[in-house]
Amino acid sequence: MAKKKIYDEDFKKMIVELYENKKPVSEIKREYGLCEATLYRWIKEYGKIRTETGEVTNNHEMKKLKKEMARLKEENEILKKAIAIFTPK
């Protein structure tokens, strides 16, 4: 069984940037020894997305923001319950 290569986030972003700058997929695959599925997964995760407000982000950043928002919502609910418990009646 072949060892799975681990690539850092900066490398993945660089590869996606090459793709977004119109470098052919076949050339990127050959030059960096990547399989096509890996390349397209990185493009999906790190490729640029333009929001309604004109900002540019990517799916990776969106996932991080959603996770942070869920954590903050949970923290907010805990604080609401604590206020209800400790507020004198």
Side-chain angles (χ1 to χ4, degrees):
M1 188 174 185
K3 269 189 142 180
K4 185 177 178 182
K5 287 187 178 180
I6 305 294
Y7 298 98
D8 68 350
E9 193 171 318
D10 290 334
F11 178 77
K12 294 174 185 179
K13 287 178 180 179
M14 188 232 5
I15 295 295
V16 171
E17 190 175 323
L18 290 173
Y19 172 81
E20 288 176 342
N21 289 326
K22 309 296 185 216
K23 187 164 187 172
V25 171
S26 58
E27 198 173 313
I28 296 171
K29 286 176 15 183
R30 185 173 20 86
E31 191 172 326
Y32 294 96
L34 301 170
C35 72
E36 196 166 327
T38 300
L39 181 57
Y40 282 113
R41 187 175 61 249
W42 292 353
I43 291 167
K44 183 178 177 183
E45 188 170 351
Y46 294 100
K48 293 178 183 170
I49 299 171
R50 191 165 302 279
T51 64
E52 292 173 0
T53 60
E55 295 178 67
V56 177
T57 188
N58 59 48
N59 280 334
H60 183 72
E61 187 65 29
M62 296 283 278
K63 286 179 188 176
K64 283 177 24 182
L65 291 171
K66 285 181 180 180
K67 189 174 182 178
E68 176 71 7
M69 188 169 66
R71 186 189 67 78
L72 291 171
K73 282 181 178 180
E74 183 179 352
E75 190 176 293
N76 194 15
E77 288 300 316
I78 291 169
L79 291 171
K80 283 180 184 178
K81 289 177 183 176
I83 288 172
I85 291 170
F86 293 112
T87 302
K89 295 181 179 183

